[in-house]
Amino acid sequence: MKKSLADRIEQYIKVLISRSEDKSIEIQRIELAETFACVPSQVTYVLSTRFTEKDGYLTESRRGGCGFVRISQFSCPYSEGFVDNPPLFQIIDELKQSKLLNEREAEMIKYISINSCRDLPYEYKIKVSEGVGKALKEYFAY
């Protein structure tokens, strides 16, 4: 079975990342497009759909003449970062069990924590999660 262009671009990038020491690469969209004889928007499509935080990748791009795309692979114990962050949720659940929070308050804090960070990069989500957990502990002298 013949692979699609998007599949081939994805595989190529994954090989480059796996061969790098720090699991991070910098590439130029135009060079990658030339390598695969396609338009740069095809490369952009692959990057935006196959190299996401959910898939374990951080991408940073700069457009223009000296533009680049930096792709870093990370290992994350939680598939979607903040949403499934057990340390924060564990603190909230313990506060609920201790009767310091009721069910509604606990769910509201979880909802606000998740939704206020929806568009942030993964590393910021973790910092916010840690900050919320610390603030809850301080507030309740936990």
Side-chain angles (χ1 to χ4, degrees):
M1 179 185 236
K2 190 173 180 180
K3 286 187 174 186
S4 72
L5 177 61
D7 290 338
R8 290 185 291 147
I9 294 171
E10 175 188 15
Q11 189 62 40
Y12 179 79
I13 292 170
K14 285 182 176 180
V15 167
L16 291 177
I17 292 170
S18 70
R19 290 181 180 171
S20 71
E21 284 183 28
D22 62 352
K23 299 295 182 204
S24 178
I25 61 168
E26 271 189 29
I27 56 174
Q28 288 193 315
R29 224 181 246 103
I30 190 74
E31 288 179 7
L32 199 54
E34 288 172 0
T35 300
F36 287 93
C38 67
V39 294
S41 62
Q42 181 69 38
V43 174
T44 301
Y45 167 78
V46 172
L47 295 173
S48 65
T49 59
R50 308 212 181 168
F51 292 91
T52 64
E53 285 183 33
K54 181 178 168 187
D55 299 317
Y57 297 94
L58 294 174
T59 58
E60 173 189 350
S61 65
R62 181 178 302 155
R63 295 188 181 269
C66 295
F68 66 88
V69 176
R70 180 179 299 126
I71 306 167
S72 303
Q73 184 177 23
F74 64 90
S75 58
C76 170
Y78 318 118
S79 62
E80 293 189 29
F82 197 91
V83 175
D84 297 328
N85 192 334
L88 174 59
F89 287 7
Q90 182 179 358
I91 291 168
I92 293 169
D93 290 340
E94 287 173 4
L95 290 168
K96 189 172 65 175
Q97 288 173 354
S98 301
K99 305 280 190 234
L100 294 171
L101 289 175
N102 64 36
E103 180 71 31
R104 185 169 186 257
E105 293 166 336
E107 292 306 312
M108 181 175 59
I109 292 170
K110 288 179 184 181
Y111 179 84
I112 291 169
S113 298
I114 291 167
N115 287 290
S116 64
C117 296
R118 188 173 304 252
D119 297 327
L120 294 177
Y122 176 78
E123 60 270 12
Y124 293 129
K125 290 178 184 179
I126 295 301
K127 287 183 181 188
V128 170
S129 172
E130 291 168 352
V132 170
K134 182 179 176 185
L136 284 170
K137 285 181 178 181
E138 288 173 1
Y139 183 83
F140 289 104
Y142 179 71

